[in-house]
Amino acid sequence: MLEMKTHRAGKIFLAVLVLSIIAMMVVVGLGYMETPEGADPILLFGWMTMPLVAGVAFVLVWLIAYLIYFFKYWPYR
Amino acid sequence: MVFDFIALGVFSLIIIVMAAYGYKLSAKTAEDYMMAGRTIGVVVMFFFVLFAISSSWTFYGFPGVLYLHGPGYVFFIWGSVAGFAGLYMFLGPRLWALAKINRFLSPIEVLAERYESKALRVLLSITMLAFIIPYVGIQPLGVGRGFEALTGLPLWVGAVYTSVLLIILVILGGMRIVAWVNIFLGMVYVTALLGSLFWVVSIVFPDAGLVQAATTLVEIDPAKLSAPGPLGEYTSTLMIGTFVVGLMAFCWPHVVIGVMTARDKKLFRWFPLLIFVFGGLFFYIIPFIWGSLVAPAALPGVTSVAEADSIVQTVIQTYLPRWFAVLVLMGVIAAAVSTAAVQLMTSSIIVARDLVQGVIKPDANDKQITAIARWSVVGIVIFSLSVTVAVQIGAGEEAMALYLTNVSVPGFAQWAPALVGGLLWKRGTKQGALAGTLVGVTYLLLGMLIKGADGSNILFFDLHPVVPTLPLNLIVYIVVSHLTPRPSEQIEDVFFNEVDDYLRSERTV
């Protein structure tokens, strides 16, 4: 991690990961995992519940950021 | 019943033969036994770590909580995926390089040398053992429940069967064969978990599969399809807390130690890919679908914690032929053994390398500490079986999932500041690490022991145990480190500058 703080790409990578964690907490905190009053639960593709959707999106953000940074910019690569 | 025992006998025999083969192959040195000779490549490492993490918890505890409370608990998984990947992206390369350059055999040894403190070595060893050994005991308990549900035999039969298998595997095989056996066990487990899911869905929801399962749930119990769940448990605060607890996965000792067995630094570039794609986007979604969607739609109405813990197996036994249930039980045994074996290896290394050679008998030679590591396995297994005994006599009925998140993880978290600071913060001092860990562990233990009139842990202020204890530990670590003299230049050279040079050097690839 120390090596990531020594260059711009590393700082951006760390910032993306931290922001994704904050975003996840904000989305959960704002109540997007809950069913709106009087409505049916929100299901993507007819079966994916919101906690699953949020998690998959979170993992995808980490995956993309990791692929770009570790294969292009990581100083120890 | 005869078929069950023959199948389980063949399964055990494969594991025993692999362990014996590993014993024949091994170089009989401590480094070979404890660190697999530092030869683990990325694919073996992935299965090794994934199935070290994926215990019987993924078959019983995790779907059990989802079944009762809806999908909110899945945030533990999202946090864990980030935590495991974070270990390999942020801490792993440095820990691996340090261990390789200095021939360290345990992560606690790394920290003891980094902080130049024998007292810290003892404190961390005892803390990690105290929280890992009961977790080892959870695994035979899971198998015992599976045995009980399938064959009607008492809980202890499955627990003893698993324990014997574990002892043989770990004593003979060491870390290398534990890693290799995890590939076999992992394949059995994935086949059982995924195969049963496809089969049950095709039988119970033949028209539209998962969509039909979700539609059924919308009709019978829609609260199970969103937070906070039917019992109102998984509020936003608890989900965020659960996510944070998941992030602490980077400091599970049996996962951290895996980093030190890596063959080269290339592993750290590729490993997160497997964690994200195979772990986060595939493997953990299988038990999630089982517990949050298929089981509650196929077999609604279960309300007790113990029955919910076994819900996947109950569904399988209800809808699939009996012979397949045996395969599933093998999958559960595979999951339990793969996790407990790594935990046992970790515990025995801590006992032999950190407590015996590090403190009690510093002149113990290579052969002696290998022998001590091997034989301490027997003691640890017997001790960990007390968990099964406690459940058998009715003294401990906490849901398996919550044991992991509420007891083991908070314990593992207490070495996180010393671990992260030791590897990444030059200013971290011995006094800071000792004070922070001591304060965190003491607070955690007192918080667990002191109960209010309603049975709640009043010292935790109704929060998850990690939430108040870890920040206090961290603050004490930072403040005391700043108030005490900075580590010597030699420590800075060995633990920071040399490691950085080594990792940048192409020769290490």
Side-chain angles (χ1 to χ4, degrees), chain B residues 6 28 41 68 78 89 107 118 167 174 177 208 239 278 288 315 354 366 368 373-374 384 406 410 445 476:
Chain B
I6 291 173
K28 313 286 188 295
L68 288 178
W78 307 133
M89 292 192 297
K118 228 175 220 188
I167 289 173
I177 289 302
M239 282 187 286
F278 192 84
F288 174 80
V315 173
D354 292 306
D366 210 53
Q368 285 171 321
R374 280 199 160 100
S384 69
N406 292 357
L445 291 177
V476 172

PDB file of all heavy atoms in Angstrom, chain B residues 6 28 41 68 78 89 107 118 167 174 177 208 239 278 288 315 354 366 368 373-374 384 406 410 445 476:
ATOM      1  N   ILE B   6     -20.196 -46.309   2.975  1.00  0.00           N
ATOM      2  CA  ILE B   6     -19.184 -46.646   1.955  1.00  0.00           C
ATOM      3  C   ILE B   6     -18.699 -45.366   1.277  1.00  0.00           C
ATOM      4  O   ILE B   6     -17.490 -45.138   1.113  1.00  0.00           O
ATOM      5  CB  ILE B   6     -19.766 -47.632   0.912  1.00  0.00           C
ATOM      6  CG1 ILE B   6     -19.995 -48.995   1.576  1.00  0.00           C
ATOM      7  CG2 ILE B   6     -18.823 -47.784  -0.286  1.00  0.00           C
ATOM      8  CD1 ILE B   6     -20.718 -49.995   0.702  1.00  0.00           C
ATOM      9  N   LYS B  28      10.581 -32.469   5.349  1.00  0.00           N
ATOM     10  CA  LYS B  28      10.693 -32.685   6.802  1.00  0.00           C
ATOM     11  C   LYS B  28      11.359 -31.516   7.534  1.00  0.00           C
ATOM     12  O   LYS B  28      11.966 -31.704   8.582  1.00  0.00           O
ATOM     13  CB  LYS B  28      11.456 -33.988   7.114  1.00  0.00           C
ATOM     14  CG  LYS B  28      11.014 -35.225   6.324  1.00  0.00           C
ATOM     15  CD  LYS B  28       9.693 -35.793   6.795  1.00  0.00           C
ATOM     16  CE  LYS B  28       9.330 -37.110   6.160  1.00  0.00           C
ATOM     17  NZ  LYS B  28       9.077 -37.109   4.724  1.00  0.00           N
ATOM     18  N   GLY B  41       1.544 -21.561  -5.733  1.00  0.00           N
ATOM     19  CA  GLY B  41       1.261 -20.679  -6.876  1.00  0.00           C
ATOM     20  C   GLY B  41      -0.158 -20.128  -6.798  1.00  0.00           C
ATOM     21  O   GLY B  41      -0.915 -20.455  -5.880  1.00  0.00           O
ATOM     22  N   LEU B  68     -33.860 -16.558   7.775  1.00  0.00           N
ATOM     23  CA  LEU B  68     -34.653 -15.959   8.855  1.00  0.00           C
ATOM     24  C   LEU B  68     -34.837 -14.452   8.690  1.00  0.00           C
ATOM     25  O   LEU B  68     -35.873 -13.903   9.036  1.00  0.00           O
ATOM     26  CB  LEU B  68     -33.987 -16.222  10.206  1.00  0.00           C
ATOM     27  CG  LEU B  68     -34.034 -17.659  10.746  1.00  0.00           C
ATOM     28  CD1 LEU B  68     -33.274 -17.734  12.058  1.00  0.00           C
ATOM     29  CD2 LEU B  68     -35.472 -18.134  10.940  1.00  0.00           C
ATOM     30  N   TRP B  78     -19.928  -8.916   1.064  1.00  0.00           N
ATOM     31  CA  TRP B  78     -19.332  -7.830   0.250  1.00  0.00           C
ATOM     32  C   TRP B  78     -18.138  -7.225   0.978  1.00  0.00           C
ATOM     33  O   TRP B  78     -17.110  -6.918   0.380  1.00  0.00           O
ATOM     34  CB  TRP B  78     -20.373  -6.764  -0.103  1.00  0.00           C
ATOM     35  CG  TRP B  78     -21.613  -7.331  -0.741  1.00  0.00           C
ATOM     36  CD1 TRP B  78     -22.897  -7.045  -0.414  1.00  0.00           C
ATOM     37  CD2 TRP B  78     -21.683  -8.309  -1.801  1.00  0.00           C
ATOM     38  NE1 TRP B  78     -23.765  -7.772  -1.194  1.00  0.00           N
ATOM     39  CE2 TRP B  78     -23.045  -8.552  -2.051  1.00  0.00           C
ATOM     40  CE3 TRP B  78     -20.734  -9.002  -2.556  1.00  0.00           C
ATOM     41  CZ2 TRP B  78     -23.486  -9.449  -3.015  1.00  0.00           C
ATOM     42  CZ3 TRP B  78     -21.164  -9.907  -3.516  1.00  0.00           C
ATOM     43  CH2 TRP B  78     -22.521 -10.108  -3.737  1.00  0.00           C
ATOM     44  N   MET B  89      -3.794  -7.162  -1.873  1.00  0.00           N
ATOM     45  CA  MET B  89      -3.358  -5.980  -2.628  1.00  0.00           C
ATOM     46  C   MET B  89      -2.488  -5.057  -1.776  1.00  0.00           C
ATOM     47  O   MET B  89      -1.522  -4.488  -2.264  1.00  0.00           O
ATOM     48  CB  MET B  89      -4.584  -5.203  -3.132  1.00  0.00           C
ATOM     49  CG  MET B  89      -5.369  -5.947  -4.202  1.00  0.00           C
ATOM     50  SD  MET B  89      -6.608  -4.928  -5.059  1.00  0.00           S
ATOM     51  CE  MET B  89      -7.723  -4.483  -3.769  1.00  0.00           C
ATOM     52  N   PRO B 107       3.065 -14.986  11.007  1.00  0.00           N
ATOM     53  CA  PRO B 107       2.850 -13.537  10.967  1.00  0.00           C
ATOM     54  C   PRO B 107       3.070 -12.879  12.328  1.00  0.00           C
ATOM     55  O   PRO B 107       3.467 -11.717  12.408  1.00  0.00           O
ATOM     56  CB  PRO B 107       1.395 -13.392  10.510  1.00  0.00           C
ATOM     57  CG  PRO B 107       0.769 -14.722  10.679  1.00  0.00           C
ATOM     58  CD  PRO B 107       1.851 -15.745  10.634  1.00  0.00           C
ATOM     59  N   LYS B 118       8.899  -9.561  22.868  1.00  0.00           N
ATOM     60  CA  LYS B 118       8.477 -10.918  23.201  1.00  0.00           C
ATOM     61  C   LYS B 118       7.088 -10.896  23.845  1.00  0.00           C
ATOM     62  O   LYS B 118       6.265 -11.795  23.649  1.00  0.00           O
ATOM     63  CB  LYS B 118       9.485 -11.521  24.174  1.00  0.00           C
ATOM     64  CG  LYS B 118       9.946 -12.911  23.774  1.00  0.00           C
ATOM     65  CD  LYS B 118      11.026 -13.391  24.697  1.00  0.00           C
ATOM     66  CE  LYS B 118      12.075 -14.129  23.883  1.00  0.00           C
ATOM     67  NZ  LYS B 118      13.069 -14.780  24.682  1.00  0.00           N
ATOM     68  N   ILE B 167      -6.998 -34.508  12.131  1.00  0.00           N
ATOM     69  CA  ILE B 167      -5.726 -34.821  12.792  1.00  0.00           C
ATOM     70  C   ILE B 167      -4.788 -35.519  11.812  1.00  0.00           C
ATOM     71  O   ILE B 167      -3.618 -35.156  11.675  1.00  0.00           O
ATOM     72  CB  ILE B 167      -5.968 -35.682  14.056  1.00  0.00           C
ATOM     73  CG1 ILE B 167      -6.615 -34.818  15.138  1.00  0.00           C
ATOM     74  CG2 ILE B 167      -4.655 -36.279  14.574  1.00  0.00           C
ATOM     75  CD1 ILE B 167      -7.060 -35.580  16.370  1.00  0.00           C
ATOM     76  N   GLY B 174       0.878 -31.386   6.522  1.00  0.00           N
ATOM     77  CA  GLY B 174       1.451 -30.048   6.620  1.00  0.00           C
ATOM     78  C   GLY B 174       0.748 -29.081   5.683  1.00  0.00           C
ATOM     79  O   GLY B 174      -0.252 -29.420   5.039  1.00  0.00           O
ATOM     80  N   ILE B 177       0.057 -29.982   1.712  1.00  0.00           N
ATOM     81  CA  ILE B 177      -1.021 -30.918   1.394  1.00  0.00           C
ATOM     82  C   ILE B 177      -2.372 -30.382   1.842  1.00  0.00           C
ATOM     83  O   ILE B 177      -3.393 -30.625   1.190  1.00  0.00           O
ATOM     84  CB  ILE B 177      -0.699 -32.315   1.971  1.00  0.00           C
ATOM     85  CG1 ILE B 177       0.446 -32.927   1.171  1.00  0.00           C
ATOM     86  CG2 ILE B 177      -1.899 -33.238   1.942  1.00  0.00           C
ATOM     87  CD1 ILE B 177       0.204 -33.075  -0.331  1.00  0.00           C
ATOM     88  N   ALA B 208     -40.133 -21.069 -14.214  1.00  0.00           N
ATOM     89  CA  ALA B 208     -39.310 -19.866 -14.449  1.00  0.00           C
ATOM     90  C   ALA B 208     -38.109 -19.794 -13.499  1.00  0.00           C
ATOM     91  O   ALA B 208     -37.520 -18.724 -13.330  1.00  0.00           O
ATOM     92  CB  ALA B 208     -40.171 -18.625 -14.302  1.00  0.00           C
ATOM     93  N   MET B 239     -26.704  -3.212   8.704  1.00  0.00           N
ATOM     94  CA  MET B 239     -26.094  -3.630   7.427  1.00  0.00           C
ATOM     95  C   MET B 239     -24.726  -2.972   7.233  1.00  0.00           C
ATOM     96  O   MET B 239     -23.772  -3.626   6.810  1.00  0.00           O
ATOM     97  CB  MET B 239     -27.029  -3.299   6.252  1.00  0.00           C
ATOM     98  CG  MET B 239     -28.163  -4.307   6.120  1.00  0.00           C
ATOM     99  SD  MET B 239     -29.152  -4.046   4.637  1.00  0.00           S
ATOM    100  CE  MET B 239     -30.087  -2.604   5.089  1.00  0.00           C
ATOM    101  N   PHE B 278     -14.314 -15.127  -9.174  1.00  0.00           N
ATOM    102  CA  PHE B 278     -14.809 -16.438  -8.744  1.00  0.00           C
ATOM    103  C   PHE B 278     -15.464 -16.370  -7.359  1.00  0.00           C
ATOM    104  O   PHE B 278     -16.484 -16.992  -7.123  1.00  0.00           O
ATOM    105  CB  PHE B 278     -13.654 -17.449  -8.739  1.00  0.00           C
ATOM    106  CG  PHE B 278     -14.121 -18.865  -8.581  1.00  0.00           C
ATOM    107  CD1 PHE B 278     -14.540 -19.608  -9.677  1.00  0.00           C
ATOM    108  CD2 PHE B 278     -14.171 -19.457  -7.330  1.00  0.00           C
ATOM    109  CE1 PHE B 278     -14.997 -20.907  -9.518  1.00  0.00           C
ATOM    110  CE2 PHE B 278     -14.622 -20.763  -7.162  1.00  0.00           C
ATOM    111  CZ  PHE B 278     -15.029 -21.485  -8.264  1.00  0.00           C
ATOM    112  N   PHE B 288     -26.019 -17.594  -1.128  1.00  0.00           N
ATOM    113  CA  PHE B 288     -26.953 -16.467  -0.984  1.00  0.00           C
ATOM    114  C   PHE B 288     -28.294 -16.816  -1.626  1.00  0.00           C
ATOM    115  O   PHE B 288     -29.356 -16.612  -1.033  1.00  0.00           O
ATOM    116  CB  PHE B 288     -26.364 -15.197  -1.619  1.00  0.00           C
ATOM    117  CG  PHE B 288     -27.326 -14.056  -1.635  1.00  0.00           C
ATOM    118  CD1 PHE B 288     -27.531 -13.283  -0.500  1.00  0.00           C
ATOM    119  CD2 PHE B 288     -28.075 -13.772  -2.767  1.00  0.00           C
ATOM    120  CE1 PHE B 288     -28.455 -12.240  -0.497  1.00  0.00           C
ATOM    121  CE2 PHE B 288     -29.003 -12.738  -2.776  1.00  0.00           C
ATOM    122  CZ  PHE B 288     -29.183 -11.975  -1.638  1.00  0.00           C
ATOM    123  N   VAL B 315     -34.009 -28.915   2.696  1.00  0.00           N
ATOM    124  CA  VAL B 315     -34.621 -28.791   1.368  1.00  0.00           C
ATOM    125  C   VAL B 315     -34.103 -29.904   0.452  1.00  0.00           C
ATOM    126  O   VAL B 315     -34.879 -30.559  -0.262  1.00  0.00           O
ATOM    127  CB  VAL B 315     -34.323 -27.399   0.748  1.00  0.00           C
ATOM    128  CG1 VAL B 315     -34.815 -27.339  -0.698  1.00  0.00           C
ATOM    129  CG2 VAL B 315     -34.978 -26.303   1.559  1.00  0.00           C
ATOM    130  N   ASP B 354       5.785 -19.597  17.817  1.00  0.00           N
ATOM    131  CA  ASP B 354       5.718 -18.366  18.605  1.00  0.00           C
ATOM    132  C   ASP B 354       5.789 -18.612  20.105  1.00  0.00           C
ATOM    133  O   ASP B 354       6.500 -17.901  20.809  1.00  0.00           O
ATOM    134  CB  ASP B 354       4.438 -17.592  18.249  1.00  0.00           C
ATOM    135  CG  ASP B 354       4.497 -17.056  16.834  1.00  0.00           C
ATOM    136  OD1 ASP B 354       5.478 -16.371  16.518  1.00  0.00           O
ATOM    137  OD2 ASP B 354       3.591 -17.343  16.041  1.00  0.00           O
ATOM    138  N   ASP B 366      14.886 -27.156  14.430  1.00  0.00           N
ATOM    139  CA  ASP B 366      13.901 -27.296  13.374  1.00  0.00           C
ATOM    140  C   ASP B 366      13.029 -28.539  13.554  1.00  0.00           C
ATOM    141  O   ASP B 366      11.802 -28.504  13.450  1.00  0.00           O
ATOM    142  CB  ASP B 366      14.692 -27.389  12.060  1.00  0.00           C
ATOM    143  CG  ASP B 366      13.913 -26.823  10.898  1.00  0.00           C
ATOM    144  OD1 ASP B 366      13.459 -25.681  11.003  1.00  0.00           O
ATOM    145  OD2 ASP B 366      13.761 -27.546   9.895  1.00  0.00           O
ATOM    146  N   GLN B 368      12.539 -30.284  16.243  1.00  0.00           N
ATOM    147  CA  GLN B 368      11.710 -30.245  17.454  1.00  0.00           C
ATOM    148  C   GLN B 368      10.457 -29.398  17.253  1.00  0.00           C
ATOM    149  O   GLN B 368       9.371 -29.803  17.654  1.00  0.00           O
ATOM    150  CB  GLN B 368      12.539 -29.694  18.628  1.00  0.00           C
ATOM    151  CG  GLN B 368      13.551 -30.702  19.170  1.00  0.00           C
ATOM    152  CD  GLN B 368      14.497 -30.077  20.168  1.00  0.00           C
ATOM    153  OE1 GLN B 368      14.934 -28.939  20.010  1.00  0.00           O
ATOM    154  NE2 GLN B 368      14.824 -30.820  21.208  1.00  0.00           N
ATOM    155  N   ALA B 373       4.700 -28.773  16.512  1.00  0.00           N
ATOM    156  CA  ALA B 373       3.569 -28.296  15.699  1.00  0.00           C
ATOM    157  C   ALA B 373       2.627 -29.454  15.373  1.00  0.00           C
ATOM    158  O   ALA B 373       1.405 -29.334  15.481  1.00  0.00           O
ATOM    159  CB  ALA B 373       4.089 -27.658  14.409  1.00  0.00           C
ATOM    160  N   ARG B 374       3.222 -30.594  15.000  1.00  0.00           N
ATOM    161  CA  ARG B 374       2.393 -31.759  14.629  1.00  0.00           C
ATOM    162  C   ARG B 374       1.554 -32.223  15.813  1.00  0.00           C
ATOM    163  O   ARG B 374       0.350 -32.426  15.700  1.00  0.00           O
ATOM    164  CB  ARG B 374       3.286 -32.906  14.165  1.00  0.00           C
ATOM    165  CG  ARG B 374       3.768 -32.750  12.735  1.00  0.00           C
ATOM    166  CD  ARG B 374       4.238 -34.085  12.177  1.00  0.00           C
ATOM    167  NE  ARG B 374       4.242 -34.035  10.714  1.00  0.00           N
ATOM    168  CZ  ARG B 374       5.332 -33.829   9.976  1.00  0.00           C
ATOM    169  NH1 ARG B 374       6.501 -33.661  10.543  1.00  0.00           N
ATOM    170  NH2 ARG B 374       5.238 -33.787   8.658  1.00  0.00           N
ATOM    171  N   SER B 384     -10.859 -28.010  20.984  1.00  0.00           N
ATOM    172  CA  SER B 384     -11.902 -27.374  20.177  1.00  0.00           C
ATOM    173  C   SER B 384     -13.190 -28.194  20.175  1.00  0.00           C
ATOM    174  O   SER B 384     -14.272 -27.658  19.942  1.00  0.00           O
ATOM    175  CB  SER B 384     -11.413 -27.153  18.751  1.00  0.00           C
ATOM    176  OG  SER B 384     -11.275 -28.380  18.092  1.00  0.00           O
ATOM    177  N   ASN B 406     -19.832 -12.511  15.448  1.00  0.00           N
ATOM    178  CA  ASN B 406     -19.919 -11.831  16.745  1.00  0.00           C
ATOM    179  C   ASN B 406     -18.827 -12.207  17.733  1.00  0.00           C
ATOM    180  O   ASN B 406     -18.623 -11.500  18.716  1.00  0.00           O
ATOM    181  CB  ASN B 406     -21.279 -12.099  17.403  1.00  0.00           C
ATOM    182  CG  ASN B 406     -22.403 -11.427  16.639  1.00  0.00           C
ATOM    183  OD1 ASN B 406     -22.160 -10.729  15.663  1.00  0.00           O
ATOM    184  ND2 ASN B 406     -23.615 -11.653  17.072  1.00  0.00           N
ATOM    185  N   PRO B 410     -14.470 -10.290  15.915  1.00  0.00           N
ATOM    186  CA  PRO B 410     -13.999  -9.231  16.823  1.00  0.00           C
ATOM    187  C   PRO B 410     -12.661  -9.581  17.487  1.00  0.00           C
ATOM    188  O   PRO B 410     -11.830  -8.708  17.707  1.00  0.00           O
ATOM    189  CB  PRO B 410     -15.116  -9.140  17.873  1.00  0.00           C
ATOM    190  CG  PRO B 410     -16.309  -9.693  17.211  1.00  0.00           C
ATOM    191  CD  PRO B 410     -15.837 -10.724  16.252  1.00  0.00           C
ATOM    192  N   LEU B 445     -13.164  -8.699  25.924  1.00  0.00           N
ATOM    193  CA  LEU B 445     -13.504  -9.782  26.860  1.00  0.00           C
ATOM    194  C   LEU B 445     -14.494  -9.301  27.914  1.00  0.00           C
ATOM    195  O   LEU B 445     -15.482  -9.980  28.214  1.00  0.00           O
ATOM    196  CB  LEU B 445     -12.238 -10.318  27.530  1.00  0.00           C
ATOM    197  CG  LEU B 445     -11.289 -11.087  26.599  1.00  0.00           C
ATOM    198  CD1 LEU B 445     -10.037 -11.516  27.336  1.00  0.00           C
ATOM    199  CD2 LEU B 445     -11.979 -12.306  25.986  1.00  0.00           C
ATOM    200  N   VAL B 476      -5.463   4.031  20.872  1.00  0.00           N
ATOM    201  CA  VAL B 476      -4.407   3.812  21.866  1.00  0.00           C
ATOM    202  C   VAL B 476      -3.088   3.508  21.161  1.00  0.00           C
ATOM    203  O   VAL B 476      -2.026   4.030  21.530  1.00  0.00           O
ATOM    204  CB  VAL B 476      -4.800   2.656  22.828  1.00  0.00           C
ATOM    205  CG1 VAL B 476      -3.630   2.275  23.735  1.00  0.00           C
ATOM    206  CG2 VAL B 476      -5.999   3.053  23.671  1.00  0.00           C
TER     207      VAL B 476
END
